[in-house]
Amino acid sequence: MSFSDSSSAESRLATAKTVLTTAASVAATAMLAKSLVTDYLPDEVHNYISYGFRFVFGYFSSQMTIIIEEFEGFVHNEIFEAAEAYLATKISPSNRRIKVSKHDKENNYNVTVERDEEVVDTFNGVKFEWILHCRHVESKNFHNPRDLNSTLKSEVRSFHLSFHKKFKDMALESYLPFMVKRATLVKQEKKTLKIFTLDPDNMYGTYSEAWTSVTLDHPSTFKTIAMDSDVKRNVMDDLEQFVQRREFYKRVGRAWKRGYLLYGPPGTGKSSLIAAMANHLNFDIYDLELTAVSNNSELRRLLIATANRSILVVEDIDCSIELKDRTTDEPTPESEENHDPRYKRVTLSGLLNFIDGLWSSCGDERIIIFTTNYKEKLDPALLRPGRMDMHIHMSYCTPSAFKDLASNYLEIEEHELFSKIEEGIEATEVSPAEVAEQLMRNDTIDKILEGLIGFLKVKKIENEEDKAKKEKQERENKEKPIKGKKDTEVMKTEEENEQRNDRVDKVLEGLVELLKAKKIEND
């Protein structure tokens, strides 16, 4: 090696050392500056400097970033929730950290993106990069209404979506709508059904806090429910048609909702049918107790708080509240200041507006179900189409319903005793719940069916006795007014006779006195 080559190598080495030393010095200075800015400068100055750096580097960058916060004010951001569900399907082996959770009675694990993890998605050949950022909040008053532990964690979450700035229109007009639609399908497939009920302690908090939920683990399905096969098929067809007619409801100018009235004797399976409908559609249930609602305004507030793709249930509508007739005069709002109890309650007008008025359009794909044992007690205004679109009679047990019960409970489709049982069912009024109870009595199928035949005979006799007592009672009730009327007429006649006798006595006494006076005058 020549002297010149050696000198050149040493010169390059010295230059490299100088560059490295300078870079290290710059990095150390930058770290020190960052530490000083973070520890000693006010947040306003810190944010201003950060904004300056982002502006300078962003000016020369070809990337654009969309910030998707978890909340917009007090309202949950639908796009954030959709991104969380959608990105769970885009996690790849390159991701080093993921978050996994599972709630009690849930069948699936919930997989989500961990903070600061980058997820890359490709849409129509364009690369979109997602990162979940979490920012800590020092204020102790921070509260996330969807997270009971939010006051302990005190953090604000947001997704940062980055892409080339020339694809801004594609991102806003095509990619994000596609992501939201896809996320809806993903959530629906993995959804764990919930049943919501009113929480009295949070009735005056935020809309979402008014409802509290538990997992709905009801096993009822259209396959297991015991009801007339034709009625069951009609209900299933109507539900399927309803969920597929979004564009139809929009075109004809109607709110995308459907009302069902379930009526019939107790024990005929009204609650089981509601659970079967929820399981069939994968809809949550909101169980509304009208007696817990103070007034019409509160009723509207609760309607707004229910989610799309849900079933709102008001059971025993004829017994839950005494609905005021719309034709009567209602007190004015000023009476509330006087604590007028007539004003502080749900009225028939408020309920009707709740079902099909302007407030009923605050949501899509919703089902409203009323149940009652006595349809004739309901106001006709509640029953018309548009409010209760389909009336479903939950009848006493029928032969076809019995076969469904036998298939579910005994796992048999035919038996030599079926004909006698079907004759007994047709001859008497017995609820599916009563038949189901008999099918759980013994161990062997023959004994169970023989016991059911005996039960049906006894039930028939009891029904006839009850019917005879009822008819006797009705006759007595009819006779009482007639007897009472006769007694009243007799009393009235006696009274008139007494009055007449009093008048005769007075007339005769007056005549006697007159005669006495005349005699004295003559003498």
Side-chain angles (χ1 to χ4, degrees), residues 60-337:
F60 296 100
S61 174
S62 61
Q63 290 291 98
M64 174 177 283
T65 301
I66 294 177
I67 310 299
I68 304 172
E69 298 279 357
E70 184 175 7
F71 287 90
E72 290 295 326
F74 292 103
V75 181
H76 195 269
N77 189 348
E78 178 188 2
I79 302 179
F80 180 94
E81 194 176 51
E84 198 171 33
Y86 176 74
L87 293 179
T89 66
K90 298 297 179 178
I91 294 175
S92 66
S94 62
N95 292 111
R96 295 171 297 174
R97 296 183 304 163
I98 59 174
K99 185 189 294 185
V100 179
S101 64
K102 182 180 181 297
H103 299 292
D104 185 31
K105 295 184 179 180
E106 284 188 340
N107 298 323
N108 302 312
Y109 289 97
N110 301 311
V111 180
T112 54
V113 178
E114 181 56 294
R115 68 185 67 183
D116 300 326
E117 277 290 302
E118 183 181 70
V119 177
V120 178
D121 186 28
T122 302
F123 177 77
N124 290 343
V126 179
K127 185 170 72 172
F128 292 90
E129 299 174 353
W130 293 85
I131 297 180
L132 175 63
H133 287 276
C134 298
R135 175 170 54 89
H136 288 275
V137 178
E138 297 299 331
S139 173
K140 295 181 180 179
N141 296 324
F142 174 75
H143 176 59
N144 177 343
R146 294 176 65 89
D147 188 349
L148 298 178
N149 297 319
S150 60
T151 53
L152 301 177
K153 295 189 298 185
S154 299
E155 65 179 20
V156 177
R157 302 190 302 166
S158 62
F159 278 109
H160 290 204
L161 173 61
S162 300
F163 50 90
H164 197 286
K165 60 177 64 176
K166 68 180 181 180
F167 296 114
K168 183 191 74 171
D169 291 340
M170 175 189 288
L172 294 176
E173 298 174 8
S174 300
Y175 178 61
L176 287 181
F178 162 79
M179 184 270 296
V180 171
K181 186 175 181 180
R182 177 59 185 162
T184 301
L185 297 176
V186 170
K187 288 188 293 184
Q188 193 66 21
E189 292 172 357
K190 299 176 62 176
K191 179 179 177 181
T192 298
L193 291 186
K194 302 284 186 180
I195 181 168
F196 292 80
T197 187
L198 293 180
D199 185 355
D201 296 332
N202 291 320
M203 287 292 288
Y204 302 98
T206 60
Y207 293 158
S208 59
E209 289 179 330
W211 296 97
T212 182
S213 67
V214 295
T215 300
L216 177 64
D217 196 24
H218 200 293
S220 179
T221 65
F222 278 109
K223 182 179 180 180
T224 62
I225 191 172
M227 60 186 297
D228 185 81
S229 57
D230 292 335
V231 175
K232 184 190 300 187
R233 173 49 54 190
N234 290 338
V235 174
M236 293 177 66
D237 291 343
D238 192 78
L239 291 172
E240 291 294 338
Q241 185 183 55
F242 167 72
V243 297
Q244 296 172 8
R245 303 185 79 181
R246 179 189 185 97
E247 295 302 323
F248 170 81
Y249 278 88
K250 184 177 180 180
R251 178 171 60 82
V252 299
R254 292 184 58 178
W256 192 13
K257 66 177 185 62
R258 189 77 172 159
Y260 295 89
L261 175 69
L262 310 186
Y263 68 97
T268 51
K270 292 184 283 293
S271 297
S272 296
L273 176 58
I274 294 172
M277 294 167 74
N279 287 325
H280 183 69
L281 298 176
N282 207 23
F283 279 17
D284 289 331
I285 293 177
Y286 287 82
D287 185 13
L288 177 61
E289 179 58 56
L290 286 178
T291 56
V293 183
S294 300
N295 50 50
N296 295 335
S297 177
E298 193 171 272
L299 186 66
R300 291 192 295 267
R301 190 169 71 91
L302 293 172
L303 172 64
I304 295 174
T306 58
N308 294 337
R309 297 181 64 82
S310 62
I311 299 175
L312 182 72
V313 179
V314 181
E315 293 196 89
D316 297 323
I317 180 64
D318 56 303
C319 303
S320 56
I321 58 173
E322 183 180 353
L323 296 175
K324 185 174 181 180
D325 196 319
R326 293 176 298 165
T327 60
T328 61
D329 295 330
E330 294 187 13
T332 60
E334 287 77 11
S335 63
E336 188 173 10
E337 298 177 359

Side-chain angles (χ1 to χ4, degrees), residues 326-369:
R326 293 176 298 165
T327 60
T328 61
D329 295 330
E330 294 187 13
T332 60
E334 287 77 11
S335 63
E336 188 173 10
E337 298 177 359
N338 299 325
H339 305 286
D340 189 339
R342 295 178 301 158
Y343 183 73
K344 292 187 176 181
R345 68 174 188 178
V346 177
T347 64
L348 180 57
S349 295
L351 186 63
L352 296 179
N353 188 49
F354 165 78
I355 298 172
D356 70 345
L358 292 175
W359 288 98
S360 68
S361 61
C362 298
D364 284 333
E365 206 168 359
R366 291 178 177 174
I367 290 175
I368 301 174
I369 297 179

